[in-house]
Amino acid sequence: MRNSMPAVGLFFLAPLIGEMLLGATSLDALALLPVLALLYGSGALLIRELVRRTGRGWGSILLLGAAYALLEEGLLDQMLFNADYSGNYDMVTVTPIPLVGTGAYGLISVLAVHALWSITVPIALMEALVPQRAERPWLGRTGLTVTAGLLVLGAVVVGWGSYDDSGYMAPWPLLAGTAAVVAALVVAAFLIPRPRAGLDSRGAPRPLFVGIASCAVTSAFWLVLQPSRLGVAAALAIAVAAAGLVHHWARARDWAPPHIFALAAGATLTYAWVGFGQTPDQGSGGTVNLVGHILLAGAAVALLCVAGRRVGARSA
């Protein structure tokens, strides 16, 4: 049982960060966590296991996270194509992209939310909590089979629940195109070169600086991302510049797990403050939501402190 604890932890940490720390689900709706984990947790865990078993790196995790984003929001709940999905989310008519069936604002929002925060960040944090097992598989064949089964169950719950609630089904060309992009992202994740450490002789920045930069850049991303073409362009520019900078840092001779944790920690702190401004889709609003989010943000900071100590001690 002890050997499976990191897997169980990631299973629940993914929806806690992806839904609750974001503010989309308030803390008084915690009973929904097992349902949310069917898709979020199983997706993150299966991605992590496949990448670690094949010796791939964080680029592969991000690409598979992007595939997960399009699976959930394009094929299952179809938020990307349904203009009446919610009063808070119109992904179709805002900054529309011709022939794609959705808008640039919605697309970049969905990819950022899921590829980075729902998938990559929880994986990085859980691996920092168990640094001695960070690069090893956490599941055997039975565990992988169960995880895949839970992911399918989650897909059915989300897909059927969304259709039953809205009665909306996107046109088949949009669904087929989305499925093709998902498949292409999965293939690309296992075709990109395996990571090679220490390609440059220069040193990497201190992890503290990396963490501060991560929080600053991800905060800037959310501040400039607005439902306008200018806002989308500015956010996309920040994302591309950040990816280039991290790629440059990661080639340094002493780039190590504390740096990766620092990137995830900075992004987590950004979600902690962003969540205070969100109106929850599920659970209570008002004072109940405010108190709940204070508790969630405090718990996130505590988790970062523990993970930071562990990964730092391991590297030392």
Side-chain angles (χ1 to χ4, degrees), residues 26-273:
S26 62
L27 188 59
D28 67 328
L30 188 62
L32 293 174
L33 185 63
V35 178
L36 295 171
L38 287 175
L39 202 58
Y40 281 85
S42 298
L45 184 54
L46 195 60
I47 287 171
R48 190 261 169 201
E49 289 297 296
L50 291 175
V51 168
R52 292 296 175 240
R53 285 172 176 271
T54 56
R56 301 290 169 173
W58 293 101
S60 297
I61 289 176
L62 281 167
L63 286 173
L64 291 173
Y68 170 90
L70 296 179
L71 171 69
E72 178 177 337
E73 310 292 11
L75 296 178
L76 297 179
D77 67 24
Q78 300 182 21
M79 181 174 69
L80 283 173
F81 307 123
N82 184 4
D84 299 319
Y85 179 83
S86 168
N88 298 323
Y89 310 109
D90 179 4
M91 303 298 191
V92 182
T93 62
V94 176
T95 61
I97 306 174
L99 303 179
V100 176
T102 190
Y105 171 73
L107 187 59
I108 193 173
S109 299
V110 161
L111 290 174
V113 162
H114 290 305
L116 184 59
W117 277 279
S118 297
I119 301 296
T120 306
V121 166
I123 291 173
L125 294 183
M126 187 53 60
E127 288 190 345
L129 286 168
V130 288
Q132 70 279 9
R133 300 183 59 195
E135 297 183 358
R136 301 206 303 266
W138 295 341
L139 297 174
R141 291 184 179 179
T142 301
L144 284 172
T145 302
V146 170
T147 301
L150 291 175
L151 181 62
V152 171
L153 177 60
V156 171
V157 169
V158 171
W160 175 254
S162 180
Y163 178 76
D164 186 59
D165 183 59
S166 67
Y168 175 83
M169 181 62 68
W172 73 264
L174 294 180
L175 297 178
T178 303
V181 174
V182 169
L185 287 169
V186 172
V187 171
F190 295 101
L191 288 180
I192 62 174
R194 285 180 168 84
R196 297 173 61 191
L199 295 178
D200 293 348
S201 59
R202 57 181 170 76
R206 291 176 179 268
L208 178 60
F209 176 82
V210 172
I212 293 172
S214 172
C215 185
V217 171
T218 51
S219 294
F221 174 87
W222 283 112
L223 288 171
V224 304
L225 181 59
Q226 301 296 325
S228 67
R229 296 197 181 278
L230 179 59
V232 169
L236 187 58
I238 289 175
V240 171
L245 181 60
V246 172
H247 178 72
H248 174 72
W249 283 345
R251 293 170 62 89
R253 55 179 169 76
D254 55 350
W255 182 261
H259 296 95
I260 296 170
F261 163 74
L263 289 172
T268 302
L269 292 176
T270 292
Y271 247 29
W273 75 258

